[in-house]
Amino acid sequence: MIIDSLVKIDRLKKHYSVQWSFFGRATASVKAVDGISLTVNKGETLSIVGESGCGKTTLGRCILNLEKPTEGVIYFEGRDLQGYQAAEMRQMRRHMQMIFQDPYASLNPRKTVSRIVGDAFDIHGMLNRNERHRRVLELLDIVGLRKEHAQRYPHEFSGGQRQRIGVARALALNPKLVVADEPVSALDVSVQAQILNLLSELQTRFDLTYVFISHDLSVVRHISDRVAVMYLGKIVEVGNCRDLFSQPLHPYTEALISAVPITDRKKRGRRIILVGDVPSPINPPAGCRFHPRCRYRQSRCQDQEPLLEEVSTDRWAACYFPL
């Protein structure tokens, strides 16, 4: 079976300078994303998971070219995003959109819902006034809102309704790729389920491709086709969602899955407690970055950094001793 890739990331790095010398040269930098290669296939949901501060959001913003990579290449439909001129990149924005984490801060409180959702058409010079209004009402209906909501302001809605507005805004230009940056983490559990089901329905209806960023593995398990696990700026494991949860290959993935709450006592496994703190992304440890906290570490792990390699069919892990 031939699988077409929508996004291909090759040795991507994004470093932020945090200290400078007297002459203005960077002497220290945060290695938020540090040498990632990854593929996002058309029509799939690829989830990126990991602890806070591991670089998930930075990776998502780099995919959308909102952050300029320090090194590496990002291909969208086979073309290098860095090769686009400003006008070309403006047109490309129609094909890639983002759903933000905070449904309260991501909406302009001074604009009505009609303006928030319809701004995209003005920016790209699409549709006249009547067509725009008709399209806004159509989008609101698609995400489960009523037409009278169009003239209200964000403060008049609940968190779940605000996130539906954010989804409608992201869908306005019929994108091919949507990066969802923890879109349900600020919502109540019951509302989370509604938004996740909405995203799944929209993906089927509009043939969308999702990059879903989250630290909540129970959510990831529900919505994902594939999962990429990040630790300290690196991808440590990639695999099919079902296989990754049933048999993790990397010790860090094993520890993350063991922390997922399970109500059925018979299905509960032993909780793995990671010792120590996450190392600083300014000065990550040599060798495997996870080795200071890994209970399986050996001397080789401290000296040589493992590469992300295919361990079995469609299962990749950056570990010398996969589980």
Side-chain angles (χ1 to χ4, degrees):
M1 182 176 63
I2 299 175
I3 299 177
D4 293 329
S5 62
L6 183 66
V7 178
K8 186 175 181 180
I9 303 167
D10 186 24
R11 292 169 291 183
L12 180 70
K13 294 184 179 181
K14 179 59 182 177
H15 298 174
Y16 297 95
S17 299
V18 292
Q19 292 181 8
W20 293 266
S21 68
F22 178 79
F23 298 101
R25 295 180 179 177
T27 57
S29 59
V30 173
K31 300 174 178 62
V33 175
D34 200 23
I36 283 180
S37 295
L38 193 62
T39 298
V40 184
N41 299 318
K42 290 182 180 178
E44 77 168 351
T45 298
L46 173 68
S47 289
I48 302 173
V49 304
E51 294 171 291
S52 296
C54 70
K56 305 186 297 296
T57 295
T58 301
L59 175 58
R61 292 177 64 85
C62 286
I63 291 173
L64 297 177
N65 207 24
L66 297 176
E67 297 279 358
K68 299 296 182 182
T70 305
E71 292 182 23
V73 185
I74 301 173
Y75 297 97
F76 185 85
E77 294 187 319
R79 286 194 60 182
D80 178 8
L81 288 180
Q82 303 304 307
Y84 283 99
Q85 300 296 324
E88 291 180 306
M89 194 63 225
R90 186 186 185 90
Q91 292 300 314
M92 282 299 300
R93 297 279 180 214
R94 297 171 56 181
H95 303 302
M96 48 179 69
Q97 293 293 320
M98 191 167 191
I99 300 172
F100 296 93
Q101 176 179 0
D102 190 347
Y104 296 89
S106 62
L107 303 179
N108 190 331
R110 298 181 179 180
K111 290 185 177 182
T112 63
V113 171
S114 180
R115 286 285 306 280
I116 290 171
V117 177
D119 273 350
F121 305 118
D122 291 339
I123 292 170
H124 290 273
M126 300 170 59
L127 309 183
N128 59 38
R129 183 174 181 178
N130 291 332
E131 291 172 336
R132 182 183 65 187
H133 180 68
R134 186 164 53 250
R135 178 59 177 160
V136 167
L137 296 184
E138 179 185 349
L139 286 166
L140 294 182
D141 180 64
I142 287 172
V143 299
L145 296 175
R146 300 192 300 272
K147 62 181 182 180
E148 55 264 31
H149 290 153
Q151 300 308 317
R152 297 183 185 176
Y153 290 85
H155 72 270
E156 299 178 76
F157 296 93
S158 66
Q161 289 175 318
R162 292 187 193 198
Q163 198 59 293
R164 288 175 187 269
I165 296 168
V167 173
R169 177 176 58 184
L171 291 178
L173 299 176
N174 297 315
K176 299 176 182 178
L177 173 70
V178 175
V179 176
D181 184 10
E182 306 215 32
V184 297
S185 63
L187 307 177
D188 294 338
V189 175
S190 59
V191 180
Q192 286 185 11
Q194 295 172 15
I195 298 300
L196 291 175
N197 291 334
L198 173 64
L199 292 176
S200 296
E201 292 169 8
L202 295 175
Q203 183 176 37
T204 303
R205 181 172 177 178
F206 297 107
D207 193 25
L208 298 172
T209 301
Y210 288 145
V211 174
F212 192 90
I213 298 169
S214 180
H215 64 270
D216 189 336
L217 292 188
S218 59
V219 169
V220 167
R221 190 170 194 168
H222 174 76
I223 199 170
S224 307
D225 296 307
R226 288 194 303 139
V227 179
V229 183
M230 280 191 73
Y231 182 79
L232 208 61
K234 294 278 189 179
I235 296 289
V236 298
E237 184 171 352
V238 182
N240 175 277
C241 181
R242 182 178 57 186
D243 295 338
L244 185 140
F245 274 87
S246 62
Q247 189 177 2
L249 298 176
H250 197 280
Y252 178 60
T253 310
E254 180 190 39
L256 285 181
I257 293 174
S258 76
V260 177
I262 298 177
T263 56
D264 189 344
R265 292 185 178 181
K266 295 180 180 179
K267 295 182 180 179
R268 288 180 189 171
R270 184 166 60 90
R271 173 70 188 276
I272 299 171
I273 306 297
L274 296 177
V275 297
D277 298 323
V278 180
S280 170
I282 297 176
N283 186 28
C288 175
R289 297 191 175 187
F290 185 62
H291 87 259
R293 307 172 73 192
C294 181
R295 57 181 181 155
Y296 305 110
R297 65 179 178 271
Q298 299 186 26
S299 58
R300 183 182 184 185
C301 304
Q302 304 176 39
D303 302 325
Q304 303 175 32
E305 182 178 345
L307 300 177
L308 186 67
E309 297 180 330
E310 193 169 17
V311 177
S312 59
T313 305
D314 294 328
R315 296 294 306 279
W316 300 74
C319 184
Y320 290 120
F321 310 101
L323 304 177

